[in-house]
Amino acid sequence: MKLADDMMALVRREAELRGRSISDQISHWVKIGRAFERSDQLGHSRTSPALADEIGVLSPEEEAWVKNFVEKMGYPTESEIAFHARRSSLGGGVGLDADGNLVCATRNAPAQD
């Protein structure tokens, strides 16, 4: 399968953001597209125009805003850094391990209920 360069860039970015392979990201979007088409058959009239790129196209100003927003959201604010430092100092949960278990700062083990 061959996709346009701009579409592949979008797939790569989303795959990286979502922790998926490129193949998994495309499969995910195919499933969503199929679900939208099915809902359109049931009378939800906005899905076909959306999939045909007839609605939802961003203006250059909106694209710039979204790009700026995404870039800013990629870095923590001073208050977020302080919040997580405090949680860490109190031994609170600071993230998830590979199995999805809450990891606590002081004992680096899954949290107990």
Side-chain angles (χ1 to χ4, degrees), residues 4-48:
D5 291 343
D6 61 334
M7 181 59 70
M8 278 306 301
L10 181 61
V11 171
R12 281 188 189 96
R13 187 181 81 204
E14 281 298 311
E16 184 176 336
L17 289 171
R18 307 291 180 198
R20 296 184 179 119
S21 69
I22 289 172
S23 176
D24 287 344
Q25 185 62 44
I26 291 170
S27 295
H28 176 71
W29 281 347
V30 167
K31 290 175 188 173
I32 292 170
R34 289 185 69 213
F36 271 107
E37 285 181 350
R38 283 190 198 119
S39 69
D40 209 35
Q41 292 169 354
L42 298 173
H44 303 178
S45 61
R46 288 185 52 86
T47 55
S48 286

Side-chain angles (χ1 to χ4, degrees), residues 69-87:
F69 176 77
V70 169
E71 286 174 8
K72 284 184 177 180
M73 296 310 296
Y75 301 97
T77 64
E78 299 257 339
S79 64
E80 289 170 326
I81 292 169
F83 172 82
H84 288 286
R86 177 154 168 72
R87 275 190 73 79

Side-chain angles (χ1 to χ4, degrees), residues 44-64:
H44 303 178
S45 61
R46 288 185 52 86
T47 55
S48 286
L51 292 172
D53 285 334
E54 295 171 2
I55 62 173
V57 176
L58 299 179
S59 70
E61 294 82 14
E62 291 168 323
E63 288 263 354

